[in-house]
Structures are given as C-alpha cells and as structure tokens.
Amino acid sequence: MLSRSSVLSIQHKTFIPCSIRHLVLCRAMHGVQRNTLQAAQLDESGDRIVRLAAAAHAALECARTCLLSIDGDDKDIDGDDGALTNASSRTSRIETAMKASRAALEVNPDEYTLWNFRKRVLERGIGDTPGKREPGNKTQEMNSLDVWQDELRLTKVALQTHAKAYPAWQHRLWLLQQSKRVDAEMHTLWIKQERVLCEMLLAKDERNFHAWAHRANVKRLALQMKSELSSEPAAIPGCADEHGPDMIEQELEFSKQHILANFANYSAWHLRSVTLTKKVALLGGGAEHAEAVADIVEKELDWVRNAYYTDPDVESTWIYHRWLLEGELMERSSSVISSARRHGFLRAELTALNELVEMEPNAKWALLAKARLIRFLASEGQDTDSQQVQIILARLRELDPFRHGFYADLLSMQ
Amino acid sequence: MMTSDNKSHRSMDESVCAQLLAELHVESLLRLEASSESYLQFLLEHKKMSAMYWALTSLALLRSLHTLADRGAVLAFIKGCERETTSAGEDKTNRSQIAPALGYAGNVDQDAHLLYTLSAVQCLAVLGEFVLIEAQADRIAAYVRSLQNADGSFCGDAYGEVDTRFSYAALLTLQLIRRTDAVDVEAAVNYVLSCRNFDGGFGCIPFAESHAGQVFCCVGALKLAGALDRVDQTTLGWWLCQRQLPNGGLNGRPDKKEDVCYSWWVLSSLSMLDKQHWIDANALGAFIMRAQDDEYGGIADRPGDRADVFHTFFGLAGLSLLGHPSLEHIHPMYALPCSVIRQLNFSESA
Ligand SMILES: [Zn+2]
C-alpha cells in the first residue's frame, strides 16, 4: 500500500521544494484573497493544517484497526476463555477510535470515512440494543439515547464551522433516519427540532443550499413519520412529495420572512413557488375554491410588484414573477377561476410592467417579462399589440449584449 | 437557426487567447510534488482521487501530460484505492455467481465512493489505460448497480445519501467502462426529470432549488441516456445564459457571485444544449484570464483570490470549451479531452 506522503505522485525532474505559496494551489478554495494572507499567517495556518491532518490520519488508522478487531472478534466462538478479555479490549478499542475520530471530525468534517466508521459503530449499538430493551433497564436505555444525542451534537458542532461539509450533513440525515430504530419518541422529537438547526445556519448564510436541501429532506422524513403514525394515506393528489396543510402555512411564512429581508434570496422565492403549488393542489379543482385561488394569485402579484418596483434589477424577483405568470399556480388556477378574471389579472400586470418600463426604459427583466406576457395574451386570443414582442426583443439584443445570441434565437423563433 | 452575427460571440478574440499563462500552469501542476510537508495531501486527502483527475486532465488539456515523470506511481495510487465491496440488496446465496463489486476510494485509507470511482475511471482513461479499465469493468459495473435505488436515483455510497450528482457519476462511469446496461437507465432518467424545476434547471433532490452544478450533472446524465429531448431546452438555456454577470464571469444561481468553476458547469451545459452562443465568450474568457496567478501559475475562483487545482482545472476546461487554440478540446459530457474519447471509441471498435 502506498503511503499518504506520495501526494499526487506527480514527479518532475526539477524538483522545487514546495514553498507555502506553491502549496496553497492544492486546496479547493473559495474567496481566499491573494493579498490578505501574509506568509507568516500562511505558515501558521499551514502548521494548523498539518496538525489537523495528522489527527485525521491517526483517527483513520485507529478506526481501521478497530474495525478489523470488531470483525475478527465477531468470528470468535463464544465461551472461549479469551472471550471476556476480547470483549473488554474491543470496547476500549472502540472507545479510543470513537474519541480520535470525534476530535478529527470536529475540526475537519469532510473526512467521510471517519463518519462511516462512526455509523458502523452506531449500527452495532442498534444491534446490541434493538429498541426492545428490558423494560426495567433504564441505564442501558439512557446510555443508548445519550450516544445518539451526542452524535447529533457532534454534527452540529461540525456544521457550525463547516456549513458546506457534505459528509456532515449526510451523517446528520442518516442519524435522523436511523434514530427511528433506537427510540421512536426521540425520533419524532429530533425531527421536529431540526428546523432550529437549519434556521440557525440560514441566518449565517441565507443561500446555503445544503441547509435548504436538508430542510426538504427533513420535511420528507416528518411526513413519512406522520403517515406511519396515522396510517392514513398522506398523498395529496398531484403532488409527488406530500405536504400537510399546517406545514404549508409555516413554509409560506418562512419564505416571506426571508424574502422581505432580501428580495435577492432566490432560495426563499423557490420555496414559495413550490409551496404555493402544493397549497393549490391541496385545495383541489372544485369551483368552490375559485375565490381562494384568485385571492392567492392577486396577493402574490401585488407583492411581487412591490418587490420589482423597489429594485427592478433583482433577478430572483423576476424568476418568481415568471413562475407566477406561467407556472403551476396559474396553470392550475385556469381550471378554477374564470378566464375573464384571469385575463383581468394579467392585463393589470401588463399595465404595471408598462409603467415600470416607462420609468426605467433599460430595465431588461421588465422588458423580457413584458414581451412574454404580450405573447401569452395574444396566444389566448386577447387583443394586444403583438408587434411589440419583436420590437422589445430587438431592443433587448442591443441592451443586453452578452446574451445577443439568445435574443437573436428568440427572434428567429417568433 | 444561427445568423453569422451570433457566431462572432462563439469564440474568443486573439487578444484574449494570448493572455493564457500556459507554461506557468504546467509548472504549477507539476509542482504538486511528492512532499510529506505538502498541504496538498492534507487538504485534499479525502478526495485525492478527484484532485488527481483535475491535475491529470489539466495537464492533458495543456498538452503536457508527457511531462509526467512517474505514471507508475499514479497507477499504483489508483490501485491502492481499489475497494472490494459487497453489493447490498443482492441475494447472498447467489453471491458466488456475481462478479464481486469494485469501487474506488478518495485516498488509500478511505472508503469506496461513487464520485471517486468515476474520478478513478476518468484518470485511467486520461492515461490511456483502456485495457485496465476493461479488465475491471464488470466489477465496477456491479458496484454502480448496487447503488441504484428503486426510484432510479443513486446513492453516493453504502450509507444512502441521494443526490443528482450521483446519477451523472453512475451513468458516466458506466459509459466509460461500456456497461450502460448494468442499471435501469429509464428509471435513472425519470428520477433526474423529477428534480427539474419550473425555471428549467435542476436541484439535488426533488423540489430543491436549481443550481448550476446540479444542472450540469442532470444535463450530462440525460445526454448520456439520450433523453435530453425530454426537457424544455429553451427555458433551461434561458436560465443558464442569465448566469453571466457584467464582469463576464458566471454564477451558479440567481443573485450569487461569479466563480470560475461555473465556467465549466454552465458552459458545458450550454454546449450540450448547443446554445454556447447564448453567452459572451470574450467576456467569460477575459474573466477566467484575470483569475490566473501571474506569478506562480494556477487559476483562482475569481480575480485576486488564491489559485488552486480545482479552479485551475475548471478554468482551463472553460477556456477549452471556448475554443482556445493552445488547449486540447474537452468533451462537455465526458469532461475528458476529446482525444481521449476518440481513443476510447477506437479501442471499442478494435
Ligand atoms: Zn468555485
């Protein structure tokens, strides 16, 4: 087996000793400015990195021997004289390796193999105490729960400093899934509390897509849990992933807060579009919901207008705007609310866009939205000046030269 | 229909091309030397296999792979990362009849993972080791197959993380080892399509926000499966071309900062859709050039930042797609030099 010190093993006859400056090339980095780090700081961070790596290396070695001994001991025949000694030495080996991997992961949670090792140890724990513990044996129960609680805490510590470490997120999700086998009650509680962690990390970085994806995964777990508990079908017609009505209002409020804090947070707009689609699907296609659906459409249009009047150059707002006019909500609403009413909304929107374009003649997003809306209204047989579409696209081609080819292709498709 | 006007946006001007510091980049890549003091082994240690792929492919794009002194050491490293795995979910009684599964780890003391299995196969392909690839193909295919779920999605490893990145990694690995029939491709396509959003892009799981990295993986997976005609390409192209910012660089999501690595993810997606002319080649090329380290070589995430091997590869790959004459052409779907793909296809027909 090759030693780790062989690095990339790319040899060159004129070997240049690696200065700190050269070595940094090796890291996949984001946003580390060339001039901000002085050589001395680099040396210092270099030392730190060497120490971290040494810890990870030692932990991996420790985990490897520990797993070998676990697998080896499992094959031992019980009743052997050495069985007791084996068991206790195995326990101490596991403890040592868990301690070493914990220390390494707290500072370097990208070491996926160390997380894997911990999963394997925890899985053994589930095997030893398979959720059907002796009713009186509180100590054992508490120990087992403590271990899982502690493990969740470890991932939290790791994520607080390394919010983009894939393996730490994965480990946390695995823990939440598997905890069902340890203690159903705690499983429920932990899943409910998971929002707290996501919100804490989103407060630090509102666009952290790991945190947004984790929210989606946890929602799915919560719904699985709910449908298992109630044994009633959780499926909403037309929705692949199921969403309770209570969760929908919660999610709408959550997205609203984030959008109001920053219109440029597309992650929040995205959540809003997905959630509203589910809300309308949940209402069903009956005519009795016409008012409710119309109300949703009108309020959203009002709101997004407010956003683009405040700052017409925010891309996020306009993608949501496009969804609002052309996405699932409008599609579904067309079967519930009358076309006269729907066209009324769209015409009012066209007026609003016209006003914006008059004030801001170079607002490219508004111009593109206007062209699309005119084309759509024309396709619905509405009386509009469809000549405008060509004129706007030709203007955009000059106004937005990087995307010259895009507008040219749209023009040729007209 | 393309007007000649559009074509002028497709390739870079000579004045931009001339800014490439090719020799410095080769030097910086070759400086990723054996050294026990190096940061490299530490910072990329869990994903050294991918770092190997970025470095080898960068050298290949710079037409300097021959300067690699010790291929043997590279091959020995890859060999050291082989992991025999037991494929989950298969009937144990029939185990003897099934080829034992073989995955690759991120480094010699790490566990097998699909991403590093793809990187290992890509490394072997760049090195022209097609005989070696073929010798392992059935076992690698067994590993990839063991990671597919009933809904068509793929896990990254035995511990169940699901992500559309793994759909691409699985299908590309199988394509490179010519074992595409090892998995349910139709189910894989359906899962990828279930992660599509209204804006035309794709997320990591269903209902997750579109992200250019995931878009690249999903477009690549669909292209590999011959299913790219099942998406609305105009909407997807619109979302992708809006990634270009006034400074010429590309971002990965709406209202985010530019980053050299998206030069690859966005541009290769546009290229697979035949819409590369929807962004400005000169402006992007000039942005990547500005992110070069003119002292020590390498490319950073954006101008003024520190260079690293990851962004060096994605920057060079972007410039290659933009048609830089000093660089080998890179294939947008395989993420390998086109010359390697020609050899692969030749070895197939031989
Ligand atoms: Zn980057």
Side-chain angles (χ1 to χ4, degrees):
Chain A
M1 188 177 276
L2 246 108
S3 83
R4 293 166 75 81
S5 61
S6 61
V7 199
L8 264 191
S9 311
I10 294 173
Q11 308 283 336
H12 195 237
K13 54 187 173 201
T14 55
F15 177 80
I16 307 156
C18 295
S19 83
I20 297 289
R21 185 61 190 269
H22 301 148
L23 291 167
V24 201
L25 180 77
C26 311
R27 190 178 182 183
M29 289 187 302
H30 283 100
V32 180
Q33 283 178 18
R34 222 186 277 172
N35 305 322
T36 50
L37 286 177
Q38 298 304 314
Q41 284 173 292
L42 272 173
D43 275 331
E44 201 180 301
S45 73
D47 283 349
R48 203 178 81 84
I49 288 157
V50 170
R51 278 201 309 276
L52 298 190
H57 185 37
L60 280 164
E61 189 52 33
C62 206
R64 198 178 62 84
T65 44
C66 173
L67 287 173
L68 279 177
S69 94
I70 289 175
D71 293 345
D73 287 355
D74 282 350
K75 284 176 202 120
D76 283 352
I77 302 154
D78 278 333
D80 189 288
D81 278 349
L84 206 64
T85 343
N86 273 349
S88 79
S89 77
R90 185 176 63 193
T91 309
S92 85
R93 243 182 248 135
I94 293 176
E95 268 171 23
T96 312
M98 287 295 268
K99 212 175 271 176
S101 64
R102 163 182 294 269
L105 287 168
E106 275 176 357
V107 288
N108 187 7
D110 276 319
E111 288 285 343
Y112 70 98
T113 303
L114 290 177
W115 290 117
N116 288 352
F117 163 69
R118 298 183 74 84
K119 290 188 191 82
R120 290 174 71 172
V121 171
L122 287 165
E123 268 177 341
R124 278 178 60 84
I126 304 174
D128 290 344
T129 51
K132 291 131 196 148
R133 290 162 295 247
E134 308 264 318
N137 195 345
K138 264 291 184 216
T139 339
Q140 191 187 9
E141 192 169 329
M142 288 316 292
N143 281 343
S144 168
L145 272 181
D146 279 352
V147 169
W148 285 70
Q149 191 105 49
D150 214 36
E151 197 69 7
L152 280 170
R153 212 173 295 131
L154 173 60
T155 59
K156 185 177 167 187
V157 168
L159 289 170
Q160 275 171 330
T161 47
H162 298 76
K164 292 185 173 172
Y166 274 107
W169 284 107
Q170 188 227 333
H171 191 67
R172 193 165 175 96
L173 188 63
W174 182 89
L175 286 170
L176 291 170
Q177 282 164 340
Q178 301 297 318
S179 63
K180 186 162 65 178
R181 290 157 62 197
V182 179
D183 188 305
E185 212 173 294
M186 291 312 283
H187 171 69
T188 313
L189 186 69
W190 285 333
I191 285 177
K192 276 191 184 147
Q193 289 173 345
E194 200 58 8
R195 284 165 173 275
V196 179
L197 175 91
C198 292
E199 276 163 42
M200 183 184 78
L201 291 172
L202 287 175
K204 281 189 197 166
D205 172 7
E206 60 181 8
R207 299 298 298 278
N208 182 342
F209 77 90
H210 297 272
W212 287 100
H214 187 71
R215 285 182 95 259
N217 274 319
V218 169
K219 261 187 278 177
R220 195 161 41 227
L221 279 184
L223 288 156
Q224 267 169 23
M225 195 173 72
K226 210 169 143 189
S227 69
E228 277 164 25
L229 287 179
S230 66
S231 80
E232 67 191 34
I236 299 162
C239 277
D241 111 318
E242 296 79 20
H243 235 78
D246 48 339
M247 224 183 240
I248 283 176
E249 293 312 318
Q250 219 175 324
E251 292 292 86
L252 288 176
E253 184 54 35
F254 183 75
S255 70
K256 189 175 181 177
Q257 278 169 15
H258 277 271
I259 294 163
L260 288 177
N262 181 11
F263 289 139
N265 184 348
Y266 185 70
S267 306
W269 287 114
H270 172 77
L271 174 67
R272 193 162 187 86
S273 70
V274 165
T275 312
L276 279 174
T277 302
K278 285 166 187 166
K279 181 170 179 166
V280 177
L282 197 61
L283 284 175
E288 69 273 22
H289 299 301
E291 273 315 308
V293 173
D295 193 48
I296 293 172
V297 174
E298 198 165 20
K299 280 206 174 116
E300 291 302 304
L301 279 169
D302 264 355
W303 197 38
V304 81
R305 230 172 261 155
N306 181 39
Y308 67 64
Y309 271 119
T310 309
D311 186 347
D313 293 326
V314 175
E315 183 185 2
S316 298
T317 309
W318 290 103
I319 297 184
Y320 184 75
H321 182 260
R322 179 163 162 163
W323 173 80
L324 201 49
L325 296 189
E326 303 175 31
E328 296 93 339
L329 177 65
M330 201 53 93
E331 220 170 80
R332 283 185 177 276
S333 78
S334 64
S335 63
V336 183
I337 57 180
S338 71
S339 62
R341 189 152 188 203
R342 203 162 51 91
H343 289 144
F345 287 146
L346 296 177
R347 289 195 159 279
E349 185 54 30
L350 187 57
T351 308
L353 289 173
N354 276 328
E355 279 169 18
L356 178 62
V357 171
E358 261 169 47
M359 286 186 292
E360 308 262 357
N362 293 342
K364 75 157 199 172
W365 289 102
L367 284 168
L368 186 59
K370 183 181 162 183
R372 294 188 67 88
L373 185 50
I374 292 173
R375 204 180 53 183
F376 179 74
L377 284 168
S379 76
E380 297 245 313
Q382 293 288 297
D383 182 26
T384 52
D385 182 8
S386 51
Q387 293 295 314
Q388 278 281 315
V389 176
Q390 305 264 358
I391 296 167
I392 294 172
L393 288 177
R395 171 153 171 65
L396 279 166
R397 195 173 47 178
E398 307 313 315
L399 202 63
D400 190 14
F402 280 3
R403 280 160 281 272
H404 184 283
F406 164 65
Y407 298 114
D409 281 2
L410 286 190
L411 272 167
S412 69
M413 281 183 231
Q414 292 300 307
Chain B
M1 201 186 76
M2 214 94 61
T3 64
S4 57
D5 212 12
N6 293 337
K7 292 237 163 104
S8 66
H9 288 251
R10 291 198 108 171
S11 54
M12 287 177 288
D13 292 344
E14 265 174 52
S15 62
V16 176
C17 290
Q19 296 169 29
L20 181 67
L21 306 169
E23 277 173 35
L24 271 184
H25 297 324
V26 172
E27 273 177 37
S28 78
L29 288 160
L30 292 175
R31 223 182 281 125
L32 301 181
E33 289 272 6
S35 162
S36 56
E37 309 304 319
S38 163
Y39 283 2
L40 170 65
Q41 60 177 346
F42 300 131
L43 289 164
L44 291 171
E45 55 194 343
H46 65 283
K47 56 168 130 177
K48 182 166 149 185
M49 187 63 82
S50 292
M52 185 73 85
Y53 156 70
W54 299 326
L56 292 177
T57 312
S58 295
L59 282 171
L61 292 177
L62 288 158
R63 298 173 181 153
S64 298
L65 200 57
H66 59 278
T67 56
L68 193 69
D70 199 348
R71 282 169 58 99
V74 176
L75 291 172
F77 163 74
I78 296 173
K79 179 96 188 137
C81 294
E82 287 181 1
R83 296 287 175 276
E84 275 211 6
T85 63
T86 48
S87 2
E90 279 175 4
D91 186 357
K92 282 185 183 170
T93 54
N94 286 330
R95 182 60 53 81
S96 59
Q97 291 162 23
I98 304 165
L102 180 76
Y104 287 83
N107 203 338
V108 289
D109 49 10
Q110 306 276 345
D111 288 346
H113 194 285
L114 182 56
L115 292 179
Y116 307 123
T117 303
L118 170 61
S119 291
V121 173
Q122 284 173 314
C123 286
L124 291 173
V126 171
L127 294 171
E129 296 288 342
F130 303 112
V131 176
L132 196 59
I133 292 176
E134 180 54 34
Q136 316 271 43
D138 285 330
R139 298 164 71 207
I140 297 172
Y143 177 65
V144 176
R145 183 175 55 227
S146 75
L147 296 173
Q148 191 173 31
N149 301 306
D151 64 359
S153 64
F154 285 87
C155 295
D157 63 12
Y159 297 95
E161 185 189 9
V162 170
D163 188 304
T164 45
R165 289 179 303 147
F166 307 143
S167 301
Y168 171 70
L171 294 187
L172 181 53
T173 301
L174 294 177
Q175 178 85 15
L176 288 168
I177 64 171
R178 298 182 214 136
R179 294 292 186 280
T180 41
D181 54 357
V183 297
D184 186 342
V185 175
E186 177 60 19
V189 166
N190 286 331
Y191 181 76
V192 168
L193 291 173
S194 77
C195 298
R196 190 182 168 272
N197 291 311
F198 161 80
D199 54 31
F202 296 82
C204 53
I205 50 171
F207 303 105
E209 179 188 358
S210 298
H211 180 295
Q214 312 289 153
V215 169
F216 161 71
C217 290
C218 292
V219 169
L222 294 174
K223 178 108 181 158
L224 281 158
L228 210 43
D229 56 347
R230 288 168 68 177
V231 301
D232 175 354
Q233 300 191 8
T234 308
T235 302
L236 176 53
W238 159 74
W239 187 87
L240 285 165
C241 77
Q242 300 298 345
R243 299 305 108 237
Q244 190 163 36
L245 299 176
N247 60 21
L250 306 172
N251 65 13
R253 287 183 285 162
D255 294 314
K256 293 275 289 178
K257 261 176 133 179
E258 70 288 347
D259 186 326
V260 160
C261 52
Y262 294 110
S263 308
W264 169 253
W265 287 316
V266 173
L267 198 60
S268 60
S269 302
L270 283 169
S271 174
M272 285 187 268
L273 296 166
D274 200 21
K275 294 185 186 341
Q276 208 177 304
H277 61 290
W278 282 17
I279 61 150
D280 191 285
N282 263 330
L284 175 60
F287 169 76
I288 301 173
M289 296 300 187
R290 286 199 303 278
Q292 296 178 106
D293 183 329
D294 54 8
E295 249 179 295
Y296 293 94
I299 302 175
D301 61 347
R302 61 179 62 92
D305 283 357
R306 280 186 183 275
D308 63 72
V309 66
F310 175 84
H311 290 96
T312 300
F313 166 67
F314 287 111
L316 291 172
L319 292 172
S320 167
L321 277 180
L322 292 172
H324 196 290
S326 312
L327 298 173
E328 279 291 308
H329 286 300
I330 192 163
H331 194 291
M333 181 183 79
Y334 287 95
L336 287 169
C338 291
S339 54
V340 170
I341 304 309
R342 278 195 297 275
Q343 286 176 59
L344 178 78
N345 292 337
F346 178 75
S347 72
E348 181 172 23
S349 58

